[in-house]
Amino acid sequence: MRTGVLAFLLAVLATSTILADEAEMVSARESASLALPTLGGMQFWTDELFFHRWHIQRNVVFGKFRLLDGENRQYAFGSYGECHAALEQIKRERALPPMHGTVVLALHGLGRSRVSMASMAEYLEEQGGFTVLRVGYASTRESIDAHATSLAAVIRSLDGVERIHFVAHSMGNIVIRRAMAMLAGSEHERRLGRFVMIGPPNQGAALATMLSDNTLVQALVGEPCDELGRLWPWVERNLAIPSCPFGIIAGGLGNEKGFNPLLPGDDDAVVTVESTQLDGAADAVLLPVLHSFMPSERPVQERTLRFLRSGRFEPPSATEAAVPR
């Protein structure tokens, strides 16, 4: 019964995002290079390049690209080369300064969009002074490897940026770990700063395994459902243990039951606390929050900011603060 309800909710979500993306493709074809508003990409658009808040996205169905500004207005549509050329022209005409300093890349989870990280980005910008770039990817339409390849391209595109922090929710963490493996040993690995993992399925997802035989869920969620479930042993082999300091925020009730009675042990209703764990973490914290809402919860945002600033989720005790570092 519960899995049937979940499948229905996934169907509603998928239908709404498919209609939205189809409308955006029509708008893109008709508007050509006009600066017209879009929804910023839902389940069929993946970011491939960032320059400040300008970004080039790829449509994973049609293979076309578009250039959007920070307000998700479209300025070019066509090939990657055409969109890149349009961006270079805009840089010259507007005398846009080069990028520099530190940025935070924020990634959403499976079935979500850049919008789901908006509250987190706003908090980090207003309270922490960080520049946050919300990276979108067509989470249900391509494999984790494909998402990671696009993310690696985004990282390479950040010319002039000295340090790159990461904040990710759910499967976004796995995409980052795969991209880090792709960039291992490169000059870009040296730019990695701190990494906050929010509800990460670092040991796979039991719920994905449970739903692996549900054809509706498989059709809606796509290949990543299998990758986080029964294919996890093969996926895990190609994931990096981050070489940068990373911390884990798990959701749960601090007991043996958690939010979801279908999952073993404590959980956030989707990911078990045990599956969030990863050796080498600089810090970890358990909060009584539900998986889907974690990036928008203030306790999660506060601890994310603390970790990006200090590498810890909680302020040091008076004794620790007195110890020279």
Side-chain angles (χ1 to χ4, degrees):
M1 178 66 178
R2 289 188 178 92
T3 54
V5 172
L6 177 60
F8 172 75
L9 293 175
L10 286 171
V12 173
L13 171 65
T15 301
S16 62
T17 54
I18 287 171
L19 291 175
D21 276 321
E22 286 182 347
E24 288 200 86
M25 280 298 296
V26 171
S27 172
R29 287 194 296 267
E30 292 178 349
S31 65
S33 61
L34 297 178
L36 294 181
T38 74
L39 297 177
M42 298 286 280
Q43 284 304 311
F44 292 91
W45 294 95
T46 292
D47 286 315
E48 299 280 344
L49 174 147
F50 269 88
F51 177 74
H52 295 290
R53 300 197 188 281
W54 293 83
H55 51 132
I56 294 177
Q57 295 184 324
R58 170 177 57 89
N59 186 279
V60 300
V61 176
F62 299 99
K64 294 294 186 179
F65 294 81
R66 65 182 183 182
L67 171 65
L68 305 182
D69 67 7
E71 301 299 321
N72 293 323
R73 292 182 295 246
Q74 178 184 294
Y75 282 75
F77 178 82
S79 68
Y80 180 87
E82 290 170 329
C83 291
H84 192 270
L87 176 59
E88 292 299 315
Q89 181 178 349
I90 290 170
K91 287 182 186 180
R92 292 190 297 270
E93 292 176 350
R94 304 189 182 191
L96 298 179
M99 298 184 71
H100 68 278
T102 299
V103 301
V104 178
L105 297 185
L107 268 74
H108 59 82
L110 179 61
R112 307 300 292 273
S113 72
R114 299 171 66 248
V115 175
S116 69
M117 300 301 287
S119 177
M120 173 66 77
E122 182 179 350
Y123 181 85
L124 295 178
E125 290 174 345
E126 292 183 355
Q127 302 300 318
F130 285 105
T131 296
V132 183
L133 304 177
R134 290 181 287 131
V135 180
Y137 62 103
S139 62
T140 64
R141 300 297 97 191
E142 292 189 306
S143 68
I144 290 172
D145 248 29
H147 302 322
T149 298
S150 295
L151 176 60
V154 167
I155 293 171
R156 294 187 187 101
S157 75
L158 299 175
D159 291 336
V161 173
E162 289 89 26
R163 172 169 286 198
I164 304 170
H165 294 313
F166 298 89
V167 174
H169 179 225
S170 197
M171 193 180 79
N173 295 283
I174 307 306
V175 173
I176 292 173
R177 290 181 58 195
R178 181 67 185 108
M180 286 181 171
M182 293 176 174
L183 296 172
S186 72
E187 60 180 308
H188 303 289
E189 186 179 30
R190 294 191 291 271
R191 297 196 291 168
L192 305 183
R194 295 183 173 127
F195 180 6
V196 178
M197 300 180 174
I198 302 170
N202 280 322
Q203 307 300 325
L207 188 59
T209 302
M210 292 168 56
L211 295 173
S212 61
D213 293 328
N214 188 306
T215 55
L216 176 59
V217 171
Q218 286 289 313
L220 297 178
V221 181
E223 187 175 354
C225 184
D226 261 350
E227 292 182 306
L228 294 174
R230 55 189 172 189
L231 298 181
W232 178 254
W234 289 270
V235 172
E236 187 178 25
R237 295 175 186 175
N238 295 314
L239 302 180
I241 301 295
S243 58
C244 59
F246 66 96
I248 299 169
I249 301 178
L253 294 176
N255 57 27
E256 294 302 316
K257 296 182 178 180
F259 287 101
N260 189 341
L262 298 178
L263 295 176
D266 202 2
D267 63 80
D268 61 11
V270 176
V271 176
T272 65
V273 173
E274 182 179 5
S275 67
T276 66
Q277 299 173 11
L278 186 64
D279 289 341
D283 202 357
V285 65
L286 176 66
L287 299 174
V289 291
L290 289 166
H291 185 82
S292 296
F293 307 107
M294 291 182 78
S296 300
E297 295 281 0
R298 185 51 55 89
V300 174
Q301 296 173 351
E302 290 172 348
R303 285 162 178 80
T304 296
L305 179 55
R306 286 177 193 163
F307 192 90
L308 293 181
R309 283 175 167 170
S310 67
R312 299 189 55 161
F313 288 123
E314 303 295 345
S317 66
T319 302
E320 292 175 313
V323 177
R325 298 186 181 277

